[in-house]
Amino acid sequence: MESRRKSGINLPPTMSETTLRLDAFSSPPSSKLRSRTSNLGSPMSNRSPRTISNLSSSPSSKSATCSDRFIPCRSSSRLHTFGLVEKASPVKEGSGGTNNDAYSRLLKSELFGSDFGCFSSPAGGSPMSPSKNMLRFKTENSGPNSPYSPSVLGHDTSLSNEVSTPPKPPRKVPKTPHKVLDAPALQDDFYLNLVDWSSQNVLAVGLGTCVYLWTASNSRVTKLCDLGPTDSVCSVQWTREGSYISIGTSLGQVQVWDATQCKKVRTLGGHQTRTGVLAWSSRILSSGSRDRNILQHDIRVPSDFVSKFVGHKSEVCGLKWSHDDRELASGGNDNQLLVWNLRSQQPVLKLTEHNAAVKAIAWSPHQCGLLASGGGTADRCIRFWNTTNGNQLNHVDTGSQVCNLAWSRNVNEIVSTHGYSQNQIMVWKYPSMSKVATLTGHSLRVLYLAMSPDGQTIVTGAGDETLRFWNVFPSVKTPAAVKDTGLWSLGRTHIR
């Protein structure tokens, strides 16, 4: 106790003077207690801090200068790498500092872009103030309309210009047909549909009273049938499998033939006059006639037709089933485009924006519910429809009668054939409707159009009695085939 009194400090019984060491101050020994009291009472005092060892058992540990947070040393941080801080370099007197700064700025501009360092913090401001370069290595440098504008992730434009590939040039479409076939007696009648190309690569053409089959693989021509002197062919349409073909006649009949055996399978009645258009779904054959009716035929049942759609006020000249077999689009000489389904005898949509007959109809294979239609001489427009809500999405004036439309399966493009007055074939890119190619060669209106099974070639027919084959679309990109082994190498089987 005597030793504790001599030191002037009251120590707990468990501590000795050797445990707690106070560094010596310049003040006299009599002021030690006063200095301790002052430092404890005022943490922000201007006096020199004390060095204390072994704070674990000291009751005054809260007065230490240690912080409860770790503050890194900014001098060792690489803030210049991210453009967050840019300190001005000191300029020595008489050393041409202005010239050095200009040279440094020019060098940075050439190496890193013109905007490098433009967003450094202002003089006297906080070095951690928000910067446009936060989370970015470089600043954006592109104009709003630049085709090489970087994405919202913040890539630099100069780097994007160097790395990104330039836009592809427009696809070159041959301007001349690679094959021309004579088609004598091919009728120049807007309301007929006399050409179709099967999935088995066989072209069917109606010439007068006969139907001829042209096999594309070997150019062999086969005469399928002759309707006789009292009848004539008004329409032809292959099934999706390509083995059966339906023929519409001027007497209103619909005949179904087995093309592999050149044998007639069924004759279906129901129409009062010529059947100018046919369309197959997976199971149903639809036929449109000058009698303004649309009949649904099912060759699996004995009756001529299973249902009748009545809605057009003039001849039906266009028919197309959607790819999912849910909707049937029909066009007529009454300028109407109607959309039907098998659950109702009334059209679910009536689209009346066309000002002329609607023969050209095509469903998009790329987007469900997207329908394209083309109008005749007084209309000249291709219109696009959303059949889900009936809205018109777009339309383009082609300048001449629209006779046919067909979507490409390989690319999102559409081809149209035209009549008066230019008789041209046009390829359009959808949805921009920019022209890919304009093909000419027919001397009369191009009334007939069909596409090859691979989707690359189209055939067009006209009243000039020629069939012309054009390589219009690119081939479809297919992944590399996987080699089958074991039981799977025996080939595909279909379970029905």
Side-chain angles (χ1 to χ4, degrees):
M1 294 294 292
E2 292 295 325
S3 62
R4 294 185 183 117
R5 289 193 186 106
K6 288 179 182 180
S7 64
I9 300 177
N10 294 327
L11 298 177
T14 59
M15 296 182 60
S16 63
E17 281 187 322
T18 59
T19 307
L20 180 65
R21 296 196 309 273
L22 299 177
D23 290 349
F25 292 90
S26 61
S27 59
S30 60
S31 63
K32 285 183 180 180
L33 183 61
R34 184 169 60 252
S35 299
R36 175 177 181 271
T37 306
S38 175
N39 282 326
L40 289 174
S42 178
M44 303 301 293
S45 174
N46 293 328
R47 298 175 185 271
S48 301
R50 296 172 296 109
T51 303
I52 301 177
S53 62
N54 194 356
L55 296 177
S56 60
S57 59
S58 174
S60 61
S61 61
K62 293 183 180 179
S63 63
T65 58
C66 300
S67 174
D68 60 343
R69 289 172 292 175
F70 173 72
I71 300 178
C73 180
R74 292 195 182 101
S75 62
S76 62
S77 301
R78 297 183 300 165
L79 298 180
H80 292 279
T81 306
F82 300 92
L84 297 176
V85 177
E86 184 172 347
K87 297 180 180 179
S89 58
V91 179
K92 297 182 181 180
E93 295 183 0
S95 60
T98 305
N99 295 333
N100 289 340
D101 290 343
Y103 174 75
S104 298
R105 288 194 297 269
L106 179 61
L107 183 61
K108 288 180 180 180
S109 176
E110 291 295 328
L111 293 177
F112 305 110
S114 59
D115 287 346
F116 182 81
C118 292
F119 300 97
S120 59
S121 57
S126 172
M128 295 304 293
S129 59
S131 170
K132 186 178 179 181
N133 284 338
M134 183 68 70
L135 300 181
R136 298 170 185 256
F137 284 97
K138 302 289 279 304
T139 57
E140 297 183 15
N141 190 32
S142 63
N145 297 325
S146 172
Y148 299 100
S149 295
S151 67
V152 294
L153 298 180
H155 298 126
D156 182 62
T157 302
S158 60
L159 181 62
S160 177
N161 283 338
E162 296 174 2
V163 176
S164 60
T165 58
K168 293 183 179 180
R171 188 177 76 252
K172 292 184 178 180
V173 177
K175 298 294 185 180
T176 57
H178 68 86
K179 186 185 293 291
V180 179
L181 298 180
D182 289 326
L186 185 62
Q187 298 187 55
D188 183 22
D189 192 328
F190 179 80
Y191 301 99
L192 305 186
N193 295 270
L194 297 175
V195 178
D196 195 29
W197 206 331
S198 79
S199 59
Q200 301 296 327
N201 208 15
V202 179
L203 185 70
V205 185
L207 301 177
T209 63
C210 301
V211 175
Y212 292 90
L213 305 180
W214 180 78
T215 305
S217 59
N218 53 21
S219 298
R220 186 181 65 180
V221 178
T222 304
K223 183 178 179 180
L224 178 66
C225 65
D226 189 339
L227 301 182
T230 60
D231 207 349
S232 63
V233 180
C234 295
S235 56
V236 294
Q237 181 73 35
W238 288 97
T239 60
R240 292 182 179 177
E241 295 78 12
S243 55
Y244 289 85
I245 184 173
S246 56
I247 303 170
T249 74
S250 61
L251 297 180
Q253 292 182 342
V254 177
Q255 299 181 7
V256 180
W257 287 71
D258 184 347
T260 59
Q261 300 181 11
C262 294
K263 180 180 179 181
K264 183 165 62 174
V265 177
R266 287 284 300 271
T267 299
L268 305 170
H271 288 297
Q272 305 300 319
T273 183
R274 71 175 183 182
T275 305
V277 60
L278 301 167
W280 280 95
S281 69
S282 299
R283 305 182 309 271
I284 300 297
L285 170 61
S286 300
S287 60
S289 172
R290 184 181 276 179
D291 63 9
R292 301 172 295 178
N293 297 326
I294 302 171
L295 300 182
Q296 314 300 323
H297 310 273
D298 190 340
I299 62 174
R300 299 171 297 180
V301 301
S303 58
D304 285 334
F305 59 93
V306 294
S307 63
K308 178 189 294 186
F309 291 164
V310 179
H312 284 284
K313 302 175 182 178
S314 187
E315 180 172 7
V316 181
C317 52
L319 274 181
K320 285 291 173 62
W321 278 98
S322 62
H323 297 281
D324 57 8
D325 292 344
R326 294 184 178 181
E327 294 177 315
L328 174 67
S330 64
N333 197 29
D334 56 359
N335 307 346
Q336 289 191 101
L337 175 65
L338 305 181
V339 179
W340 315 75
N341 60 41
L342 294 177
R343 298 186 301 271
S344 174
Q345 298 296 315
Q346 297 298 321
V348 295
L349 284 178
K350 289 186 176 183
L351 308 172
T352 59
E353 276 74 6
H354 283 291
N355 298 315
V358 183
K359 177 192 178 185
I361 300 174
W363 292 91
S364 170
H366 309 287
Q367 184 175 341
C368 183
L370 176 58
L371 177 65
S373 60
T377 306
D379 185 75
R380 305 182 305 274
C381 289
I382 301 175
R383 302 179 187 271
F384 297 90
W385 314 88
N386 181 353
T387 60
T388 303
N389 52 26
N391 291 338
Q392 183 178 185
L393 303 176
N394 190 15
H395 75 279
V396 58
D397 190 342
T398 65
S400 57
Q401 179 186 45
V402 183
C403 301
N404 290 280
L405 289 171
W407 286 91
S408 170
R409 297 184 295 271
N410 302 344
V411 290
N412 197 13
E413 296 176 358
I414 190 169
V415 59
S416 59
T417 68
H418 300 269
Y420 305 120
S421 58
Q422 302 178 38
N423 307 321
Q424 78 274 31
I425 302 157
M426 303 184 72
V427 183
W428 312 80
K429 184 178 291 295
Y430 187 83
S432 64
M433 292 308 289
S434 59
K435 295 179 184 179
V436 178
T438 300
L439 310 175
T440 57
H442 286 287
S443 58
L444 293 178
R445 52 184 180 174
V446 188
L447 297 176
Y448 311 110
L449 171 68
M451 188 176 297
S452 63
D454 62 7
Q456 300 183 51
T457 304
I458 61 170
V459 58
T460 57
D464 58 8
E465 298 185 347
T466 62
L467 296 174
R468 298 172 185 262
F469 295 79
W470 314 79
N471 290 326
V472 171
F473 298 115
S475 60
V476 63
K477 296 180 180 179
T478 56
V482 178
K483 185 177 181 180
D484 293 331
T485 59
L487 292 177
W488 297 110
S489 63
L490 298 178
R492 290 186 178 179
T493 58
H494 296 276
I495 301 175
R496 301 181 65 85

